[in-house]
Amino acid sequence: MSNYEVYDAGGDEVPWELREDPVEPRTDDVDGGWMVAVEYSNKGQAKPPTIVSVRGRSHPTREEALAAAQQEAFSYDPPDPFSPQGRRVFRDGPDGFLAVIEGAMTTFHMSVRVVQHIGDA
């Protein structure tokens, strides 16, 4: 018999879909404050190196914003790559998508995710 500890994969952990949200939403947002954010690289060596664009209007529910985010993952046209040849979209966790865009000579990616405005500083 060995004295090694048995690996525990943490099976008692609650899946991300069922976890409680510890952040209180803003009370002054009439429709929930759920929005879609698109993040992508900024034309090679340009500054800033990454662009984050919060797109469109606010959605009343997370589910509606998630549907809008999925649509953006398939349709948003970032500045790179030049001459897109194809796009693959992947689910990336509970609130987002990863779009891999094949260009004529290079491959780029962008992240599209649901965000909730909780305040300004």
Side-chain angles (χ1 to χ4, degrees):
M1 282 309 270
S2 73
N3 292 330
Y4 295 111
E5 290 184 35
V6 176
Y7 172 73
D8 180 7
D12 294 335
E13 186 176 324
V14 177
W16 56 262
E17 309 92 43
L18 302 175
R19 292 183 190 157
E20 291 291 323
D21 188 356
V23 177
E24 290 295 322
R26 292 172 46 132
T27 56
D28 59 342
D29 277 325
V30 176
D31 60 2
W34 291 101
M35 301 186 81
V36 175
V38 178
E39 181 178 3
Y40 55 90
S41 64
N42 185 20
K43 288 200 169 268
Q45 300 300 315
K47 301 292 183 195
T50 303
I51 301 290
V52 176
S53 172
V54 178
R55 312 262 315 144
R57 63 179 182 83
S58 184
H59 300 276
T61 66
R62 182 185 157 278
E63 289 74 24
E64 289 179 42
L66 193 58
Q70 182 174 347
Q71 178 64 36
E72 288 286 333
F74 281 98
S75 64
Y76 186 77
D77 188 23
D80 283 323
F82 175 73
S83 186
Q85 307 294 307
R87 177 182 305 226
R88 294 182 300 157
V89 176
F90 302 91
R91 184 72 184 260
D92 185 19
D95 293 318
F97 302 91
L98 172 69
V100 178
I101 304 167
E102 299 289 336
M105 300 177 67
T106 56
T107 301
F108 284 82
H109 70 278
M110 67 179 184
S111 174
V112 181
R113 59 185 180 265
V114 172
V115 295
Q116 185 179 34
H117 187 212
I118 60 169
D120 297 328

